[in-house]
Amino acid sequence: MNSIECMEHAEQDILHTYNRYPIVLEHGTGVCLFDTDGKQYLDFASGIGVCALGYGNEEYFGALKDQAARLIHTSNLFYNGPVIEAAGRLKAASGMDRVFFTNSGAEAIEGAIKAAKKYAYTRDGHTDHEIIAMRNSFHGRTLGALSVTGNEHYREAFAPLLAGVRFADFNNLESVKEQMNEKTCAIILETVQGEGGIYPARAEFLEGLAELCKEKDILLILDEIQCGMGRSGKMFAWQNYKVRPDIMTAAKALGCGVPVGAFLMTERVAKKSLAPGDHGTTYGGNPFAGAAVSKTLEIMERDHLTDHVRNISGYLWDRLDEIKEKHACVSDHRGMGLMQGIELKADVSAGEVSKKALERGLILITAGSNVLRFLPPLIIGQEHVDEMYDILNDILSEL
Ligand SMILES: *Cc1c(COP(=O)(O)O)cnc(C)c1O
C-alpha cells in the first residue's frame, strides 16, 4: 500500500475523530521520524509528549523484547515482577506512597476522581461531594475526565456529565475560593495546562491552593500526564513548587509509547480510599507495561535526563524569545522546561504554520486557541533547536 492508499483506507475504515496530517509515519531514530515515502522530519511533538527518549533507543527496546518473550499479561489476580519494580521506581521518583497503574491518561484521571470521592465518603459518609476543576483545562475524553475538563466545546454534546463539578479560573485563587463549600472534596488541575495553551501554574496560586486544601482537608489532585516525567526539568512539574499533591496522575511519557498511565496517592489518602472491590482493570499494570515504565525511569535517572532538560530548555527558551522579538505576529511565549508555547496573533493561524512546518520537515503541533506547542523528545540537542529555529523563522518571515 502506498501512502495515498493508506490514507484512503484510513478515512474509510477508522472513525473520523481526528483531522490528521497527510503523512504516514513509518519509523524513527533519535529525534527524527520518517514517513513511508522516505521523507525525514525533525520531531518537536514526540507523539504529544509521549516519546521522551526519542526513537530507536536500543536499551528500551531490548527490555520490551525480553519481557514480550517472557510474559506480556497476567491479570491483577496475580503478582508480577516488572510492575512491582515499576511501582517502586515511580514511588521513589515522585515521593508518593501508593500507585495504581492504568492503560491511559484518562483512566488515571477516572481513578484519581474515584479515589478522592472514596476518601471523602470514608471520612463523613456523605454521597454528594463536589470537585473543583479549572476552566481551560484538559483531563481526557472519557466521561469522568470530560466532566472535569474545562472546555465547553468538548463537553456540550455529552451532557449531562458527572454532577457536582464546579469550574474556577486557573491561576486565580479567589475564583477557587468562590467555588468552595462544605461539599468540596477535591481540587483538580494540571500543574502546567497543556492542551489549553501551555499555561504553568503560578507559584503563589499552586502554593495557596495547597495550603487551602490542607486547612479544609480537601484533596489536591495534580494532573502530571503531560508535564510530568522529566519534561519540566524535574521528574514531576509540581516538584518545582513548594507543594505535594495528595493524588497525582501520570501517563504519556510514563511508558514512552507503551500505553500506560498511573494515579498515585499519599498513604494518608490511601488508608481511607480505594479498597478491594472499589476499583480494577484487566490490563492495567501488566508485566509488559511494567517493563516499559521501569526501563523508562531507569534510563531517565541514570542518564540524569532532568539535568539535560534544564539546560536545553533554557536554550530553547532563548531561541523562542528571539523568534518573539523578530516577529510581530508572536504575542506571547510561555512554558516550563521542554513544554513551551508561542501564541500567535489572530491574523496568523498556528494550524497553518504547523502545516508549513510539516512540508519543510518539522513536526510542530498546536494547542489552545492559537498556540504553537513545543514538546520535543527530552533527548533533543542544541543543533535540533537551531534547526527548528531556522525553519520556523523562515516560515514566519514569509507570512
Ligand atoms: C493527554 C492528557 C490526558 C489524557 O490522556 P489520554 O492518555 O489521552 O487519555 C489527561 N490530562 C492531560 C494533562 C493530558 O495532557
Side-chain angles (χ1 to χ4, degrees):
M1 241 195 287
N2 67 30
S3 59
I4 300 292
E5 288 164 344
C6 264
M7 290 186 255
E8 279 170 5
H9 277 287
E11 293 310 330
Q12 270 172 30
D13 300 343
I14 298 174
L15 193 67
H16 189 211
T17 56
Y18 281 94
N19 292 315
R20 294 171 213 271
Y21 292 101
I23 60 173
V24 184
L25 291 172
E26 204 258 344
H27 72 283
T29 172
V31 296
C32 289
L33 286 162
F34 295 82
D35 69 15
T36 45
D37 299 326
K39 183 172 167 181
Q40 181 174 339
Y41 300 87
L42 172 62
D43 180 24
F44 261 73
S46 52
I48 322 187
V50 168
C51 305
L53 301 176
Y55 305 95
N57 183 302
E58 284 293 333
E59 188 184 350
Y60 167 78
F61 176 61
L64 295 188
K65 220 167 80 175
D66 287 351
Q67 191 55 50
R70 203 170 287 133
L71 191 61
I72 290 180
H73 179 79
T74 55
S75 89
N76 282 305
L77 302 177
F78 305 93
Y79 295 100
N80 81 74
V83 86
I84 297 166
E85 189 183 331
R89 285 187 190 277
L90 193 53
K91 272 181 58 172
S94 64
M96 304 297 283
D97 301 317
R98 297 269 178 178
V99 53
F100 183 104
F101 286 103
T102 67
N103 309 291
S104 66
E107 273 178 82
I109 296 292
E110 298 288 332
I113 293 171
K114 280 182 72 177
K117 287 197 173 216
K118 179 70 195 291
Y119 173 87
Y121 172 80
T122 306
R123 185 187 54 198
D124 60 24
H126 296 173
T127 53
D128 58 353
H129 292 112
E130 296 185 354
I131 294 175
I132 298 174
M134 300 299 138
R135 295 197 179 88
N136 198 47
S137 64
F138 182 83
H139 298 290
R141 303 295 198 147
T142 56
L143 288 168
L146 201 54
S147 301
V148 291
T149 288
N151 181 331
E152 211 29 62
H153 175 70
Y154 292 164
R155 299 159 49 92
E156 187 176 286
F158 308 101
L161 293 169
L162 197 61
V165 177
R166 295 166 172 267
F167 286 94
D169 292 331
F170 190 69
N171 275 332
N172 182 339
L173 200 55
E174 282 311 309
S175 159
V176 177
K177 282 183 189 162
E178 279 165 24
Q179 299 303 326
M180 273 167 76
N181 60 45
E182 68 290 342
K183 293 181 187 171
T184 311
C185 72
I187 298 175
I188 183 167
L189 67 154
E190 300 152 87
T191 316
V192 182
Q193 286 191 333
E195 303 299 313
I198 315 292
Y199 292 93
R202 289 200 202 99
E204 60 279 14
F205 174 66
L206 194 57
E207 288 161 16
L209 270 188
E211 222 157 275
L212 220 57
C213 285
K214 204 173 192 177
E215 236 168 69
K216 302 190 187 292
D217 198 17
I218 291 169
L219 300 182
L220 179 64
I221 306 174
L222 292 181
D223 181 349
E224 290 267 339
I225 290 170
Q226 191 162 149
C227 59
M229 293 302 289
R231 186 161 292 281
S232 73
K234 301 259 188 189
M235 194 53 91
F236 294 101
W238 61 261
Q239 293 165 337
N240 293 288
Y241 303 79
K242 293 192 213 58
V243 301
R244 183 193 188 201
D246 300 294
I247 299 175
M248 65 162 270
T249 57
K252 291 203 160 88
L254 182 60
C256 276
V258 171
V260 58
F263 62 96
L264 297 97
M265 63 193 80
T266 61
E267 191 62 30
R268 180 180 78 84
V269 174
K271 270 198 210 123
K272 291 188 189 163
S273 190
L274 304 172
D278 283 338
H279 200 55
T281 164
T282 301
Y283 288 138
N286 79 18
F288 189 69
V293 173
S294 221
K295 189 48 87 175
T296 297
L297 285 166
E298 183 189 339
I299 294 173
M300 282 187 177
E301 281 166 6
R302 186 200 57 213
D303 296 350
H304 305 289
L305 209 56
T306 49
D307 292 347
H308 172 70
V309 169
R310 282 199 295 279
N311 288 326
I312 194 68
S313 64
Y315 188 70
L316 175 64
W317 187 270
D318 293 344
R319 299 250 60 190
L320 289 179
D321 259 2
E322 274 178 60
I323 291 271
K324 180 172 171 247
E325 291 309 309
K326 273 178 92 159
H327 300 280
C329 63
V330 177
S331 56
D332 197 15
H333 170 209
R334 49 183 187 254
M336 184 187 283
L338 285 179
M339 184 170 176
Q340 297 186 28
I342 59 176
E343 188 166 329
L344 303 177
K345 289 184 182 156
D347 54 333
V348 180
S349 148
E352 279 307 309
V353 174
S354 160
K355 272 185 206 149
K356 287 192 170 139
L358 195 70
E359 282 162 21
R360 293 179 191 225
L362 169 66
I363 296 180
L364 197 55
I365 57 176
T366 62
S369 53
N370 208 22
V371 175
L372 287 170
R373 169 164 46 161
F374 301 81
L375 281 182
L378 305 186
I379 58 166
I380 203 112
Q382 283 201 1
E383 66 280 19
H384 307 118
V385 174
D386 289 338
E387 198 182 322
M388 177 281 293
Y389 173 94
D390 289 339
I391 296 171
L392 183 59
N393 187 44
D394 280 354
I395 293 170
L396 295 179
S397 302
E398 284 164 20
L399 285 173

